[in-house]
Structures are given as C-alpha cells and as structure tokens.
Amino acid sequence: MPKLRLIRRCVHSQYASSPKTCRRTHTAAAQLNCKSSLAESVARLRSGTTSPAKLLSICLDAISARNSNINALIHVASTTDLRANATAAEERWKTHNQRGPLDGIPIAIKHNICTRDLATTCGSKMLEGFLSPNDATVVKLLRDRGAIIVGKTNMDEFGMGSANIHSFHGPTQNPVIPDADHESNGRVAGGSSGGSAAAVAAGMCFAALGSDTGGSVRTPAAYTGVVGFKPSYGRLSRFGLVSYASSLDTVGILARRVPDVKLVYDTLAHYDELDSTSVALKSTPVPPLEDLTGLRIGVPQEYHVEGLSEAVLESWSAAADFLASRGATVVPVSLPHTQQAIPAYYVIAPAEASSNLAKYDGVRYGHRSSAPRDQAAPLYATSRTEGFGAEVLRRIMLGTFVLQANSYTSYYQQAQKLRRLVQRDFDNVFAMTNPLHAAATGNTTSAGQQDPSRSSAGSGNTHKVDLLLTPSATSAAPRVADYMTSSSQTPVNECINDVMTVPASLAGLPALAIPFGHDAEGLPVGIQLLGQYGDDQRVLAVGSIVEKGQPPKRVT
Amino acid sequence: MLSRGFRGSQPRPPHIHSCKAWLLPIRAASTQPSTPADALYIVGPSGQKWEPVIGLEVHAQLNSQTKLFSSALSSSSASPNTNVSTIDAAFPGTLPRLNGACVRLGVTTALALSSTVQLRSSFDRKHYFYGDLPQGYQITQLFEPIARGGQLAIGKMDGLPYAKTVEIQQIQIEQDSGKSVQGLTEGQTLVDLNRAGVGVLEIITEPDLRSSTETVTFLKKLQRLLWYINVSASEMDEGAWRCDVNVSVRPAGGPLGARTEIKHLVKFTSIKSAIEHEIDRQIEVLESGKQVAQETRGYDVHRGTTFKLRSKEESQDYRYMPEPDLPQILLSQTYIDDVAKSLPEPLDTRRNRLMAEYSLTHYQVEVLMDEPDAVEYFEQVAHRRSGKKAANWVIGELFGWLKMRNLRLRESPVEPHRLGTLLDLVESGSLSGLRAKDALHMMVDGDARDPTAIATEKGWVQNNDQNELEQLCDDLIAQHPDIADRVRGGKDRLIKFFVGEVMKQTKGKSNPVIVAGIFRDKLLSSK
C-alpha cells in the first residue's frame, strides 16, 4: 500500500517535536484591514476599538477597488442603507444592546438565497431581476442579529458548475492573483459559490453565505484560500435557498478563519419549521480544544486519486502531521465506494435539478419568451430555451433522461443504491453512530453498541475514527484559459474535480475546507475535515486548531 | 356535536351552487327485478356475449381548511388568485410543508374503506408542463401511498338488485392543480391558482365493476361515505369530485381486453352514459374484427360519445421521482387507533339502526343519509319523541322549506332543539299543525326566537288550560241542560254544538279535540 507513506511520514514530521505553529501574523496593535478575521473584528467591537462603520468602509473600499475586476458581487446594497444600518449597529454596541456577535458585521449572500431588497437571479437570465417577496430563513436570522447584508454574490447558474464560469453575469475572477487578466493569467474562483468565496478573499465582506450541493462552497474556498463550511444536511434551513438538488442542497458559510465560520454557524443552526428537511438535533457543545489527545483522525486511502497535485498531497500530509503533533491518532481508513460517488451524484443531482427547474416556465415570474408560439413551441419551451444557459440545459436534459420510465430503474434507482453505499462507508468508519440511522435501522455493527454521542480511543474499536482528513480539491485553482477549453470540449472534466467534495454531500456530512499551504506558484491549497452526521461542532473545533498549523507561504 | 353545522342566527355564508346537488336520494331497488350478477353480459350485434370490466380513479377534494402544503385557504369559490401563497405559485426558494389535517383525512378514509394504513408512506413528483401547474410537477403518492387495499360493499339498499364488493387498490394524497380559463382574446389563457395545492384524495379501485349501474351505485355510495366521514364536500361540481374511468370488454369468461381511460368525468349522468357508450364502441370495434387501442379518451357531454384524446404512444412520461423536499410520513399505531375512534358508525350499520330504532322507511333513511349532518339532526329532534313524527317534520317540512330557499341543512338557522320544541307544541295541542308550519317557515327565514315565543306573539297558542276549559264546559252544560240531556241520551253528535260554543267563547284558541274529549268525559263517561 504505497498510500500508507502518507501516514508514516508523520514520524518525521516537522511538528513531531514541537507543536509551535506558523501562521499569518496579526498583532493586536495593527489596524483592522481587508484580511482581518470576523472573530477578531468582533473582539474589537466588544472592546470598543473598532466600529461597524469602520468595518463597513473596509468592505466598501475593497468593493470599489476590486469588484470591477473580480466580479464577485453582482448587486451591492445602497450605500446609504448600509451606512444607516452600520450607524444603528454602532449605537447598539455603544449601549451594550448589540443583537449578538454579528451585529454590524458586513456579510454577502449568494445570488440563489432569497432577499427581499436585492434581486435573486441564481446567476441566470431566467431570473434576471427577480425579487423574492420573502427573505430566506438564514437571511432573516442574520438580519435579526444585526448583520449587514452588503450584496449578492456571483455564482454558476443555479449552482451548476465548479469554476464560476457559467454565470449570466459573467465569470468571477479569482482574487489570489491581483489584477489578473481573466483570459490570460486569471485563475478560476471555483464554483458554484465563486462570488461568495472571492468576496471573502478580497475583503469585500467578513463572511458570505454560499450553497453547497456537491462542493460548491468547499471548492471555491479551496481555490481562493478561504475557509468554506458545508454543515450537516438539514442543520441550516433551506427555506429561501433556490433549489438545485433538494436532497443535497446545503446553505454553506465562507469566511477567512474557522472561528469566523463558527460565529455565523452558531447564528444560523436552528430548526426551521418552514423547511421540512430541517433536522432538530441536540448538538453537544465542543469546548475550544488545544490538545487533541484521544482524537482519532482517519485518512481515507481512496482520496489519494490520480491527478492529485504534489502541492495538495504535501498539504494533506502536513496537516496529518500537524494533527498528530497535537496528540491525535492518525490512521488510514478505507471508504471503498468513493469512486462510485461521482456517477451517483451526476445522476441524482441532474434528476432533481430537472424537476426543481421545471417551475421556470415563463408563466408567473422570470424570463418569458416573446417568440411566436404554436403547438410545437409552446410558451414554456421557448422561454426555457432562451432563459437557461448551456450547462443548465445540459443537466436538465440529463436529469430528464434518467427519470424517464424506461431509464428510472437502471439509472436513478442504481444511483440511489450507490448513494446508500457511500453513506454506509462513512458510517462504517465513524465511531459516532449516525443519529439519522441509529433509530431507523437498529444498527447491528459494533458501532451500534457504542456510546452514540462520543467516541474514545478506549472504546475497544481501533478501526473507528472521529474525523476524516482529505484534500479539499485535487489542485490549486486552475487557469481560466485551461478551464474554458477543457470544460467546453469535455464537460466531464469539470466533474472529476468534484471527487473530493461529492461523497460528503451524498452522505449529508459536515465538511470543512481549510487553506493549508500553497503550491509552487504561491496559490493556496487546502485540506478538508469531514465529521459524522451532526458532528458539526467537533469539525469546527478541530478545524480551528488545524488552521493554526498552516505552513508559512514560501516566497518564490 | 352539531354545533359545527348550525350557525344559529349568525349571518349565512355566501351561498354558491349548493342547490344543484340537492338531495339525490338513491332510490329503492324495488323497481328493478333482482338480477343475478352473472347476467351482466352484453350481447353484441353478432350474438357474442361480452363482459365489461371497469376500474375507477376517483379524485375527491379534501375539505381541510388550508391547502395540502401551504397555509392558504382551500376555498376555491373566492375571487380568482386570492387564496394563493408563494408556495402554491411555486416561487423560487419556497418549500412545501405538509398539512397534518390532510393526512388525518386520508387515514380516516382508509379506515372507513377497511384499507390498510401504511405506517410509512411518502410523496412523489409527477412531472408535466401546464400553465396551471406552477411547480411543473404534481406532488402525489405513487410508490408508497398512505393506504393500500380495502373495499366498499354495495347492494340492495344502495339501489343495486344484488350484493357486490368492490376492492380498493390504493389511496393516495396529492395536490390539485390550478384552473385554466379561456381569456377574452383569441389564444389567451387565464390562470386561477386558488385550487392549486388544494389537497385531493385519489382512490383507485381494482377493475371489479361490470356495468355502468354498478359504477354509478358505487360512486354514489363512495361520495356519500366521504362526506359522511367529513373528508370531502358533498357538492360534486366545482371540480371537487372528478373521476377517471378505465373500461375494457372481454368475451364471456375470456382474458382481460385492452382498456381505454376516460378522463375527467364529473357528473353521475355523464359517467353512466360515457361508460355505456364506451362499452358499445369497444364491442363494435371487436366484433368488426379490429383491436381496441389502449388510449386516453374524453367524453363529449353534448353528443354523449367518447372521443380519442391521445394514444398510448403519445401519452406523457411523467418521470416520477421521490419528493426530496418532504420526509416520509411515519404514523404510529396509536395515531391510527385515535383516528379510528373518531370514525362515525359505518354507513350500513347506521342505515339498519335508523330503520329499526325509529321505524323509518327506506326512503326516509336514504334522504336523511344523503344530506350532510341530517342523521345527527334527526336523532336530536327524535330524542324522546316519536321517530316517525320527527322524520315527517325533518324531511317533509324542514327539508322542503330549505329546498325552496336553496339552503342546505348545514346552512339552516333552525337548530334541532327549536324544531323539537315546535313538535312538542303540536303534540301537546298548544299549536295546530298548520300554525306550526307557519312558525317553522318563519324560523327558516331567520326568526331566531323560540317557537313558543313566536306562537304567543302571533296569538296562535291554543288554550289548553284543563281547569279553565272544564269550568267553561260545566258552565255550558248548565246553560244548555236540554242539549246535555240529549247527548246523554245518545245523541253524541251534539257534542259538536258544545265544542263550537267553546271555540266561539275562546276565539278559536282552544284545541277542539281536547274540548270534545272533556265533554265526552262529562256527559258520556258515567255510562
């Protein structure tokens, strides 16, 4: 097993003797800037050393300086309104009446999450100018806590894409290369939440909401060097998130540091009766960790795929070393059905998409074709042909095909079986029992006899782990030029990249992408932490330690 | 128990179309000779015997207050597009939320049809594009319906000359579509989404029916059952009831033939003639040596014929898919037991009990059972009173007057206790039958007073003070000793003279029957 090398290298790790960490330095005296973390800003708000107005102007400055090049924000809220909100928040902080840690924090929202005051286009001509009568539940929660919605971010049309090149509003430029020319030296921002990731990376907001169906938060986070979190399916309300593939869609959070993500997550993770797939789980608070002794981290061999870049492999290995240096036990594990995740995903997601996007018929809202209609070209057909982009049309056709009566059994049902196998793989390696399956199936494996809430090294099962460590993407952000060519010629290439992210989506697991090192060109690469269903807090707690171990950026 | 239906003096709700379906009693079977079931073969032109085979898909709107997946009101009689939520209009970002009341109605129906309620059921999406289907799919139950199996028996009491049991295949909960209306200009279609998302129960039968008469008898009984258990409204118009009929014919004793489906039938008369026409058409096709094409057909009400809508090849692929926005419905046995406890007595049990307990005729029972809440109403009126008399007043007088006023019993302002009081006044002789009817009409027309108050105010109360009357009679006997003697001597017809005198002196407010009795007692009883 050559892949075991990854683990053996722990022994010779640079961290083996010393737990000292290297990280970007923020001295307390330094001014807040567009790289400052949300958590740090909240601390400054508490101590009265900064104000919501100051935070807002950091973001507005970044927007005016870089958004025309990056194209991260498609709609920016009116500056007058934003300033008024910041002033109101400032008053609350001054009088200690703040509505929570996010009061006065500028946050951006992906274009497929409904807002009453700003359009929700889903990056599509089909919904150009569409104004939702409701705020999404997650937006409402943010507003209730005083967060300031700065604008709506660019995205791949209806969430379909991994590079943010399939947007009616044009592609998003990855801010990792300042002032890049998109076509020549630009890097893709990742998708589909590319606008949210780029906005966070470029300091246009302190956090952003995205959505993750098969990796749409984690991939752009990895490419732009920010933190991206896909919580357990059902933990964040989907009400107001425009559906792409309902059984996979998850509202996700992007921010510059893991504690930032946790602040937003804690604000949003509530059961919502408006979303029937919302899950009420009693979540066990995990105290801030320093020492990871007793924690078992699994390194799934199947993620060591062909085409994994050297930089990513190094980052993965270094993260494993770092975790071991903090006392965690790092062990190889096997998730044998990982390879089946991609075909399963590319049947299930398009199937649900073809269904969810059927409502866009030009009758009640959205684009309505003015082409002459007749029996052969009814209103809905011409409207849909004109309103949807190529990638969306492709997936609708694919989904329509797999749901046909004569292909349902051989495609859709097979994909559902594969999905269950992928889920079972995860249940087999996690020490914690999946709370969704515990009651329903009467789990007969050894995991079933364990304490369902907590695992420990002493539980007797040496094969079970608490978290999984994988890369977040197969490489650093690809060149736009390369991507455009390969994507248009062989659309399947775009899917291959999803191999790191899709399995957790199929299983509904919490997954956190964290920047961890850089490639030879100085572009960020990163790792991903996966937890058992509902174990979001532990993923975040361990994640905040991992990011402290990020190796320093090499000067090239 | 009845408070739900009777609003007392409250203003009546706006009243729409309720007169059309007024009382469709299922007539007694006595006009038909008893026909054995095996004589249902139809002899074709060539002399061959054919057996029709019929199965049904019945769609009945649930009378839940709000829609199946939204909090918009279920009422479709409101102005167009007023009862529509963003969920019903399928706005981006909205999600369905199951209305528990609809599940309960589904379980109620399943239990009433002896169907097996599935502890685990789920919703599916059925896709097709149509202007009045906002989501682009209908949420229904295909793979795991709320209930499977069950049956409904029909027989003599339902108007069929023999007994028969129709098996139910499955019962599913689904949402209704909106309504498309032709616009003012050529090619314009208007869409009303009030109906979009209203809960509908689809009841699918096995192909157990063998004639149009059986089918209509079954449907009438099923319809009555559904409103009897308060699942569905009694009006069959306004699209609250729809039926798709599958028809095939086969040679006597032969294998099943190819079937056609006749879509969207609403009225019993249409269902009957559509089936009959389709049976005849298929026999003609087969006897001419051709094949019946498996296809979907419509019914032309004006011509009385069915016509081809689309062939099997042209039929939609609905691309069914499990509904990912809604988790499974998990029911506990406790829940089902609880619903079972709330079920009223079974229809056939109730019918037999009414006949036995109140000596009602079959016709009276049918009329009562055909009107929502009428049995409960009747039983309250009949409580400690004569069942026969109560039935005469409820059916003959009250229903008759309500019908003149285009009212359903549920809209009637006459509570059972006031009608009961009225009956008591008649029974005690305080009010004449004719005056009692006048009083009832006043109550139906909105007089909310007690019948005694009405009669007193109108001066209709008959004097029945026994002592007063006896004193008057004694006085008259004293004043007319000669006539009294002649009565005693056997001329009892002359009692009429005394009665007439009493009526004169009491200005007609005495009950002549009672007065005559007093004189009879005084002049003849000593004999």
Side-chain angles (χ1 to χ4, degrees):
Chain A
M1 290 272 284
K3 285 163 193 166
L4 273 175
R5 260 183 315 166
L6 187 69
I7 307 310
R8 292 209 191 92
R9 283 168 57 173
C10 301
V11 184
H12 310 292
S13 154
Q14 56 177 312
Y15 302 108
S17 52
S18 157
K20 212 166 92 185
T21 62
C22 299
R23 56 172 158 157
R24 282 173 290 185
T25 49
H26 288 290
T27 57
Q31 279 289 307
L32 287 179
N33 59 35
C34 65
K35 298 285 179 199
S36 301
S37 79
L38 194 166
E40 186 189 354
S41 306
V42 173
R44 296 286 201 96
L45 284 170
R46 281 194 207 286
S47 64
T49 52
T50 192
S51 70
K54 168 71 182 149
L55 301 180
L56 180 63
S57 44
I58 290 173
C59 296
L60 290 178
D61 288 351
I63 292 168
S64 60
R66 301 193 68 186
N67 195 46
S68 57
N69 173 251
I70 294 172
N71 199 22
L73 286 163
I74 301 305
H75 292 98
V76 180
S78 104
T79 316
T80 322
D81 290 354
L82 290 174
R83 294 228 159 92
N85 288 339
T87 310
E90 194 156 340
E91 199 51 44
R92 292 192 291 268
W93 278 102
K94 272 183 186 158
T95 55
H96 303 286
N97 285 319
Q98 69 271 20
R99 296 177 184 165
L102 299 184
D103 202 349
I105 302 289
I107 291 179
I109 308 291
K110 190 176 178 180
H111 239 304
N112 61 351
I113 298 175
C114 290
T115 44
R116 270 178 299 129
D117 49 353
L118 295 166
T120 302
T121 69
C122 298
S124 179
K125 177 183 181 180
M126 186 55 99
L127 284 177
E128 192 182 2
F130 172 74
L131 199 60
S132 170
N134 310 310
D135 270 342
T137 298
V138 285
V139 171
K140 185 178 182 302
L141 285 168
L142 286 178
R143 288 198 212 264
D144 287 350
R145 301 301 176 87
I148 296 173
I149 309 298
V150 283
K152 300 292 283 278
T153 62
N154 203 352
M155 60 181 285
D156 282 307
E157 186 177 0
F158 285 102
M160 301 179 194
S162 325
N164 218 120
I165 54 173
H166 304 298
S167 169
F168 175 63
H169 309 291
T172 295
Q173 172 74 49
N174 193 328
V176 289
I177 298 181
D179 302 316
D181 175 60
H182 193 68
E183 298 291 332
S184 63
N185 66 337
R187 298 284 177 152
V188 300
S192 64
S193 311
S196 291
V200 169
M204 300 174 185
C205 54
F206 282 81
L209 295 189
S211 68
D212 191 315
T213 303
S216 281
V217 158
R218 293 162 284 159
T219 304
Y223 287 175
T224 58
V226 303
V227 178
F229 184 45
K230 181 198 93 68
S232 295
Y233 180 85
R235 291 301 281 146
L236 267 50
S237 169
R238 287 194 297 121
F239 188 84
L241 167 67
V242 180
S243 295
Y244 157 20
S246 309
S247 73
L248 298 156
D249 291 345
T250 313
V251 172
I253 302 160
L254 299 110
R256 290 188 279 273
R257 308 283 291 173
V258 177
D260 305 359
V261 167
K262 182 174 154 56
L263 281 170
V264 178
Y265 175 80
D266 288 344
T267 304
L268 301 183
H270 295 291
Y271 171 74
D272 180 17
E273 59 173 21
L274 297 178
D275 172 7
S276 304
T277 59
S278 180
V279 178
L281 275 182
K282 43 180 199 310
S283 74
T284 355
V286 177
L289 303 170
E290 280 302 326
D291 182 21
L292 299 180
T293 305
L295 189 81
R296 295 176 61 82
I297 304 282
V299 177
Q301 304 298 292
E302 288 78 6
Y303 284 67
H304 196 155
V305 293
E306 208 173 319
L308 207 61
S309 80
E310 192 56 36
V312 167
L313 193 60
E314 230 168 80
S315 159
W316 188 13
S317 177
D321 293 349
F322 176 72
L323 284 164
S325 75
R326 285 301 181 94
T329 309
V330 182
V331 294
V333 294
S334 175
L335 302 168
H337 296 95
T338 301
Q339 285 301 317
Q340 273 83 61
I342 298 290
Y345 175 81
Y346 276 97
V347 169
I348 293 168
E352 293 186 16
S354 74
S355 177
N356 283 328
L357 271 59
K359 63 178 64 154
Y360 306 109
D361 55 9
V363 173
R364 294 165 307 286
Y365 43 75
H367 177 73
R368 177 185 286 194
S369 170
S370 51
R373 337 193 233 281
D374 53 46
Q375 204 83 41
L379 174 66
Y380 65 83
T382 49
S383 299
R384 289 165 68 79
T385 308
E386 294 170 14
F388 290 133
E391 182 64 21
V392 171
L393 288 174
R394 181 155 44 221
R395 295 199 197 189
I396 289 176
M397 291 307 288
L398 184 57
T400 302
F401 170 74
V402 299
L403 285 179
Q404 280 176 357
N406 52 9
S407 47
Y408 183 83
T409 325
S410 44
Y411 288 91
Y412 187 79
Q413 277 193 339
Q414 290 300 322
Q416 294 291 8
K417 283 180 193 163
L418 288 181
R419 182 177 188 173
R420 279 192 289 278
L421 290 174
V422 170
Q423 286 169 334
R424 203 168 300 164
D425 275 0
F426 284 114
D427 284 346
N428 285 341
V429 299
F430 281 125
M432 183 177 140
T433 306
N434 187 329
L436 296 181
H437 303 158
T441 57
N443 202 336
T444 52
T445 66
S446 55
Q449 281 113 47
Q450 287 183 0
D451 177 354
S453 63
R454 214 48 210 155
S455 74
S456 69
S459 70
N461 192 327
T462 52
H463 305 294
K464 304 282 175 175
V465 297
D466 300 301
L467 297 176
L468 293 168
L469 177 70
T470 78
S472 52
T474 51
S475 70
R479 278 176 212 285
V480 174
D482 295 349
Y483 214 94
M484 292 292 216
T485 340
S486 66
S487 169
S488 55
Q489 281 169 1
T490 49
V492 91
N493 285 355
E494 199 176 339
C495 315
I496 291 301
N497 220 16
D498 300 339
V499 67
M500 299 293 142
T501 52
V502 157
S505 292
L506 289 176
L509 306 182
L512 181 66
I514 307 168
F516 204 84
H518 299 82
D519 72 357
E521 293 176 72
L523 296 172
V525 292
I527 54 93
Q528 178 180 225
L529 280 177
L530 308 179
Q532 175 58 296
Y533 181 87
D535 210 10
D536 303 37
Q537 291 293 1
R538 196 199 321 239
V539 170
L540 291 170
V542 175
S544 70
I545 294 179
V546 173
E547 76 174 349
K548 290 175 190 164
Q550 175 155 208
K553 185 170 179 177
R554 282 171 294 194
V555 184
T556 47
Chain B
M1 184 181 175
L2 271 170
S3 59
R4 178 196 57 225
F6 298 93
R7 298 188 180 82
S9 55
Q10 284 175 23
R12 293 207 312 265
H15 173 249
I16 307 212
H17 297 305
S18 66
C19 55
K20 282 189 202 161
W22 172 258
L23 294 185
L24 296 161
I26 295 168
R27 302 288 169 186
S30 56
T31 51
Q32 293 176 11
S34 183
T35 317
D38 59 5
L40 286 168
Y41 296 124
I42 291 172
V43 180
S46 74
Q48 192 179 346
K49 285 206 293 189
W50 298 93
E51 183 185 34
V53 176
I54 301 160
L56 300 172
E57 290 164 29
V58 181
H59 305 257
Q61 250 180 32
L62 293 170
N63 70 355
S64 60
Q65 201 191 354
T66 54
K67 294 184 180 181
L68 182 55
F69 298 117
S70 85
S71 55
L73 293 176
S74 280
S75 163
S76 57
S77 57
S79 304
N81 293 313
T82 50
N83 290 336
V84 186
S85 79
T86 50
I87 296 173
D88 308 322
F91 266 55
T94 58
L95 294 169
R97 220 178 123 199
L98 180 59
N99 178 354
C102 294
V103 176
R104 197 177 171 92
L105 294 175
V107 171
T108 304
T109 307
L111 294 173
L113 288 170
S114 314
S115 193
T116 308
V117 177
Q118 297 215 106
L119 296 180
R120 194 181 277 260
S121 61
S122 54
F123 287 101
D124 305 297
R125 292 179 180 181
K126 174 183 179 179
H127 299 87
Y128 60 94
F129 284 104
Y130 211 82
D132 59 21
L133 187 74
Q135 294 153 311
Y137 53 82
Q138 176 199 33
I139 304 179
T140 178
Q141 295 189 301
L142 175 78
F143 300 116
E144 295 295 342
I146 188 81
R148 290 187 200 275
Q151 64 265 314
L152 184 64
I154 45 177
K156 270 214 171 68
M157 289 302 200
D158 306 302
L160 198 67
Y162 48 88
K164 170 157 195 118
T165 299
V166 179
E167 297 290 329
I168 308 293
Q169 193 182 83
Q170 70 179 44
I171 301 172
Q172 56 202 42
I173 302 172
E174 60 190 30
Q175 52 177 187
D176 215 334
S177 65
K179 245 190 318 200
S180 293
V181 186
Q182 204 156 26
L184 294 171
T185 59
E186 177 71 25
Q188 185 188 41
T189 306
L190 303 175
V191 174
D192 177 7
L193 294 182
N194 280 350
R195 206 179 66 184
V198 170
V200 170
L201 220 52
E202 181 167 350
I203 300 165
I204 303 169
T205 74
E206 296 290 351
D208 286 349
L209 296 154
R210 295 290 176 266
S211 72
S212 62
T213 307
E214 281 185 9
T215 305
V216 170
T217 307
F218 169 83
L219 281 170
K220 282 182 175 173
K221 186 156 188 179
L222 181 64
Q223 189 194 32
R224 173 193 276 178
L225 176 73
L226 289 187
W227 56 247
Y228 171 60
I229 57 177
N230 224 343
V231 158
S232 191
S234 56
E235 285 85 15
M236 216 167 143
D237 46 31
E238 288 293 306
W241 255 80
R242 291 192 300 279
C243 192
D244 301 335
V245 186
N246 287 294
V247 180
S248 66
V249 297
R250 61 179 172 191
L256 285 174
R259 67 186 162 86
T260 59
E261 183 181 27
I262 315 169
K263 281 274 190 197
H264 292 298
L265 295 169
V266 173
K267 294 199 180 317
F268 290 138
T269 47
S270 302
I271 293 168
K272 193 168 186 337
S273 53
I275 291 172
E276 283 163 5
H277 174 267
E278 185 57 19
I279 290 170
D280 292 351
R281 189 191 69 86
Q282 289 190 15
I283 290 174
E284 265 183 49
V285 168
L286 292 169
E287 292 214 340
S288 67
K290 288 181 244 162
Q291 300 286 312
V292 171
Q294 187 176 334
E295 62 192 14
T296 304
R297 299 181 71 84
Y299 177 67
D300 184 330
V301 186
H302 304 294
R303 292 209 176 92
T305 56
T306 65
F307 60 93
K308 179 177 165 179
L309 283 173
R310 52 185 176 267
S311 71
K312 190 191 175 195
E313 292 70 32
E314 293 161 333
S315 73
Q316 293 257 3
D317 185 335
Y318 290 122
R319 292 173 286 119
Y320 283 99
M321 181 188 92
E323 167 57 83
D325 284 331
L326 293 162
Q328 289 181 321
I329 304 172
L330 300 179
L331 299 177
S332 68
Q333 194 54 50
T334 321
Y335 173 88
I336 296 168
D337 294 344
D338 182 55
V339 177
K341 268 182 229 149
S342 72
L343 274 182
E345 66 183 320
L347 273 181
D348 292 341
T349 313
R350 166 170 279 200
R351 179 159 50 197
N352 295 336
R353 184 178 63 76
L354 287 175
M355 292 177 80
E357 204 171 314
Y358 300 100
S359 317
L360 301 187
T361 64
H362 179 237
Y363 174 76
Q364 285 175 318
V365 171
E366 291 304 312
V367 173
L368 287 176
M369 290 182 58
D370 255 334
E371 178 66 17
D373 290 343
V375 173
E376 288 81 359
Y377 187 98
F378 161 77
E379 294 206 84
Q380 288 196 30
V381 176
H383 183 62
R384 295 195 187 153
R385 300 188 180 101
S386 152
K388 268 192 163 329
K389 285 179 180 161
N392 285 338
W393 276 92
V394 170
I395 295 169
E397 303 305 329
L398 178 63
F399 283 12
W401 200 253
L402 287 174
K403 188 179 177 183
M404 302 241 298
R405 291 289 183 265
N406 277 343
L407 287 175
R408 304 303 298 250
L409 178 62
R410 283 180 175 181
E411 299 160 316
S412 163
V414 186
E415 303 89 336
H417 73 84
R418 287 206 290 150
L419 181 57
T421 308
L422 193 68
L423 263 66
D424 293 342
L425 290 175
V426 175
E427 192 60 21
S428 70
S430 302
L431 196 59
S432 71
L434 276 173
R435 288 304 190 204
K437 285 175 193 173
D438 291 340
L440 178 63
H441 298 166
M442 289 171 68
M443 290 194 286
V444 170
D445 291 342
D447 194 323
R449 289 176 297 171
D450 189 84
T452 319
I454 296 174
T456 309
E457 188 253 347
K458 287 282 179 190
W460 292 340
V461 180
Q462 295 175 338
N463 190 350
N464 293 314
D465 184 316
Q466 198 74 13
N467 291 333
E468 211 176 290
L469 277 179
E470 288 200 17
Q471 186 58 56
L472 191 57
C473 293
D474 286 342
D475 292 351
L476 283 168
I477 289 168
Q479 284 166 27
H480 304 282
D482 49 334
I483 298 173
D485 280 342
R486 285 167 68 186
V487 174
R488 289 194 192 97
K491 293 270 187 192
D492 52 356
R493 279 190 300 122
L494 285 171
I495 285 179
K496 277 188 177 169
F497 163 79
F498 284 112
V499 174
E501 286 300 303
V502 171
M503 297 308 280
K504 252 188 248 166
Q505 296 200 16
T506 60
K507 295 181 178 121
K509 285 186 189 173
S510 300
N511 185 329
V513 181
I514 292 175
V515 173
I518 294 172
F519 280 109
R520 203 167 278 121
D521 283 350
K522 290 190 184 295
L523 300 174
L524 304 173
S525 63
S526 54
K527 279 199 172 173

